[in-house]
Amino acid sequence: MPWPTVEYVAKMIDHSLLRPDLTTDDVRAGCALAARYDVASVCVRPADVPLAVRALDGTDVAVGTVVAFPHGSSTAHVKAGETAAAVGYGAREIDMVLNIGRLRAGDDRYVADDIRAVAEQTAARGVLLKVILETAYLTDAEKARGCRIAEEAGADYVKTSSGFAPGGATLDDLRLMRTSVSARVGVKAAGGVRTLDILLEMAAVGVTRFGATATAAILDDLARRRGDVAG
């Protein structure tokens, strides 16, 4: 089976710039890397959206950000406000954390209304909405239910993790998530996507987006394996 192209894999990656210690220079450097590899998007902290929009102007790399990150415990009103502000600054993708405790408590209506409040802000503006389940804290039944609720509430993607919980994406979770939503909804893996082999294994079970900080290492490895570069 032939290797996928570097360009194809790059457009599956959201380059993550979410560490709390990143400086503005770090964010600019991360945006430059994202532009150099022409990835799908950068995912930056909310305060960094205007900076990233300026840095990526004229490129084909979208700017995304996070809402209620990483715990998901803001009210729906606050989440909607965060989303409206981020979109106003130029964000084209939103990764929101659902209310984990309410999902575990079985309060499906609350969880749905929480997501819908954000979806109402994104759908009208053509902005992608990815809903983070934080799978490390959930049972399989809760993961499947969370996926179904997210789809019904207007999510474009369901996503495993914030990267700040005890565990990240696993193949078993990704298979479960893929079968818990329709073909309309994508699946994003985040947390532990550090090598090309891991990414390709996850892509094989239906994942189409990846949150990664090891973007350069992954894509350079693919180029080497394809024989696109020497070494």
Side-chain angles (χ1 to χ4, degrees):
M1 183 176 180
W3 293 105
T5 66
V6 173
E7 294 78 11
Y8 178 82
V9 174
K11 284 302 185 188
M12 301 173 79
I13 293 176
D14 297 338
H15 184 56
S16 179
L17 297 168
L18 296 171
R19 285 200 344 256
D21 59 318
L22 294 178
T23 67
T24 51
D25 284 344
D26 292 331
V27 175
R28 289 188 188 93
C31 288
L33 184 151
R36 184 164 69 252
Y37 286 92
D38 194 24
V39 298
S41 79
V42 293
C43 190
V44 299
R45 301 165 304 193
D48 297 325
V49 171
L51 185 161
V53 169
R54 291 192 299 272
L56 291 165
D57 184 40
T59 75
D60 193 36
V61 179
V63 174
T65 192
V66 289
V67 165
F69 192 83
H71 298 135
S73 53
S74 303
T75 65
H77 178 75
V78 170
K79 289 180 180 181
E82 277 192 84
T83 302
V87 172
Y89 287 133
R92 305 305 301 161
E93 304 193 358
I94 297 293
D95 290 32
M96 72 162 286
V97 186
L98 58 66
N99 193 300
I100 301 159
R102 294 298 181 106
L103 178 65
R104 295 188 65 238
D107 195 347
D108 293 4
R109 178 175 293 182
Y110 186 102
V111 176
D113 289 345
D114 187 59
I115 296 168
R116 195 171 291 113
V118 173
E120 288 172 355
Q121 298 293 325
T122 57
R125 297 168 173 83
V127 172
L128 283 178
L129 173 59
K130 291 168 259 179
V131 174
I132 301 170
L133 303 180
E134 205 66 283
T135 49
Y137 298 127
L138 305 176
T139 66
D140 284 353
E142 289 163 350
K143 294 165 196 170
R145 203 174 79 248
C147 285
R148 291 192 295 269
I149 294 168
E151 176 168 11
E152 290 166 5
D156 298 297
Y157 283 81
V158 288
K159 176 179 170 182
T160 56
S161 322
S162 68
F164 289 83
T170 69
L171 284 170
D172 286 344
D173 283 348
L174 292 164
R175 290 188 189 97
L176 175 61
M177 292 167 67
R178 182 63 273 169
T179 59
S180 298
V181 293
S182 73
R184 180 190 72 77
V185 177
V187 176
K188 176 176 173 179
V193 185
R194 298 187 182 94
T195 69
L196 175 64
D197 290 326
I198 290 171
L199 184 149
L200 293 176
E201 279 188 307
M202 292 177 174
V205 300
V207 179
T208 53
R209 280 287 190 103
F210 299 88
T213 57
T215 302
I218 289 168
L219 295 175
D220 289 348
D221 187 17
L222 177 56
R224 282 191 294 272
R225 296 195 201 192
R226 284 178 50 85
D228 293 343
V229 295

